[in-house]
Amino acid sequence: MRALLIESKGATAHLTDADPDLLEGPVELDVLYSSLNYKDGLALTGKGIARSWPLIPGIDIVGRVTRSESPEWNSGDTVILNGSGIGESAHGGYADQARVAPDFLVRLPGTLTAYQAAAIGTAGFEAAIAVQKILDSAVAPGDGELLVTGAAGGVGSIACALLARHGYQVVASSGRGDEEAAYLKELGAQRIIDRATLADEAGAPLQKQRWAAAIDVAGGTTLANVLAQTSYGGLVVACGMAQSAELSITVFPHILRDVTLAGADTVSAPLATRTRAWELLAADLDLSVLEGMSTTIELEQVPDRAEEILAGRVRGRTAVRLTA
């Protein structure tokens, strides 16, 4: 079994012929594709996401069932598995075989190919959860601008595309605004701001009201400023901690402006949430836009790309081809 393997705590991943007996789970898969996410970059470089060893990283799997002890799945079914602990505490998608629990498996929507589902991956899945929270809220497209931070990255790119598809006025925050302006406009962003305006220093607890809602992947000072700038009754969905896991804020945005801070979880999200997110992606994500933001790499190229994604040099989405 060809796999990337992390042998011990703090070790980096290496390509090897691993023993298939490492795998456990009632549903056996041929892995068609995985993808490369920020979390994968952390695991691959030994930066603390992995929680058991040895471990096959990769928080996404798009695979074809080869054997199943679960009555819900049959040989030949194509399934998607995002998060749920794979690539962190259980073996993940960076191998040509997998064995998984059936609890969080989602059937590949008929409108998507295995490659497209992998290109969307956990980043797109997380973006869809965040966008669904906005769609379910009282924030309407005419209520003002919606901010997306880290807009050129995986979560941000798909969030911009989905929000624009639903008629929202998207403002993209990026540290690469000059070089990525055309790309962000193609995704549907109406305006681009430099991330430094939010990230460099914390402002007042309450600032000028600018955003009807926001999706944030940065955390830290960025999220504190976004909350302080969100309009009355607005919603901020936190999706990541690319800047920091720390958050130093006051309660003022919440008790004086009725601002809601929500999260988008991809690890323990229940099956109903997963299914709904993939239905949103299948129905509303422009596949030509997805194609334009996606690249494909082979398994042996993954370690070299890990440092790049951590440094913020990877645009959009990266699918990893296994046995497709």
Side-chain angles (χ1 to χ4, degrees), residues 132-159:
Q132 190 67 64
K133 287 179 183 284
I134 292 173
L135 295 177
D136 290 343
S137 77
V139 178
D143 288 345
E145 293 181 323
L146 265 70
L147 176 70
V148 177
T149 68
V155 175
S157 292
I158 292 181

Side-chain angles (χ1 to χ4, degrees), residues 52-320:
S52 67
W53 305 273
L55 179 74
I56 298 169
I59 63 172
D60 285 321
I61 292 174
V62 183
R64 185 173 295 117
V65 177
T66 55
R67 189 181 70 85
S68 175
E69 298 171 17
S70 167
E72 300 171 22
W73 302 103
N74 299 305
S75 180
D77 290 341
T78 305
V79 297
I80 305 167
L81 183 59
N82 308 114
S84 70
I86 63 168
E88 298 181 69
S89 56
H91 293 305
Y94 291 159
D96 51 28
Q97 298 174 44
R99 294 179 190 168
V100 300
D103 310 62
F104 295 137
L105 289 177
V106 175
R107 194 175 303 277
L108 178 73
T111 55
L112 298 175
T113 66
Y115 163 74
Q116 289 165 339
I120 292 167
T122 286
F125 170 54
E126 185 167 32
I129 292 174
V131 169
Q132 190 67 64
K133 287 179 183 284
I134 292 173
L135 295 177
D136 290 343
S137 77
V139 178
D143 288 345
E145 293 181 323
L146 265 70
L147 176 70
V148 177
T149 68
V155 175
S157 292
I158 292 181
C160 285
L162 288 173
L163 289 169
R165 186 70 171 250
H166 281 269
Y168 288 97
Q169 304 170 53
V170 179
V171 176
S173 169
S174 175
R176 298 174 281 162
D178 290 341
E179 61 187 280
E180 300 289 11
Y183 169 71
L184 293 169
K185 291 290 181 67
E186 183 181 350
L187 294 179
Q190 297 185 8
R191 195 161 66 85
I192 301 166
I193 63 172
D194 193 299
R195 73 179 177 199
T197 61
L198 296 165
D200 281 359
E201 58 183 65
L206 286 178
Q207 302 170 35
K208 181 180 178 181
Q209 298 182 55
R210 302 177 67 186
W211 322 117
I215 295 175
D216 173 62
V217 304
T221 301
T222 298
L223 180 54
N225 283 325
V226 170
L227 286 164
Q229 295 172 10
T230 299
S231 299
Y232 192 94
L235 170 66
V236 178
V237 186
C239 292
M241 52 181 184
Q243 182 180 19
S244 174
E246 301 296 323
L247 181 59
S248 179
I249 59 171
T250 71
V251 298
F252 293 158
H254 309 296
I255 65 173
L256 297 179
R257 289 184 180 167
D258 196 23
V259 171
T260 298
L261 174 60
D265 165 55
T266 60
V267 177
S268 302
L271 185 57
T273 298
R274 294 169 181 273
T275 302
R276 196 173 182 215
W278 277 101
E279 287 172 348
L280 175 66
L281 289 160
D284 293 341
L285 183 60
D286 186 330
L287 296 180
S288 65
V289 171
L290 177 66
E291 183 65 27
M293 72 170 75
S294 303
T295 57
T296 305
I297 62 175
E298 306 300 326
L299 185 61
E300 56 267 24
Q301 297 174 275
V302 170
D304 288 339
R305 293 297 292 272
E307 294 286 359
E308 293 182 39
I309 198 167
L310 294 184
R313 295 195 298 268
V314 174
R315 171 209 276 187
R317 298 292 299 134
T318 303
V320 180

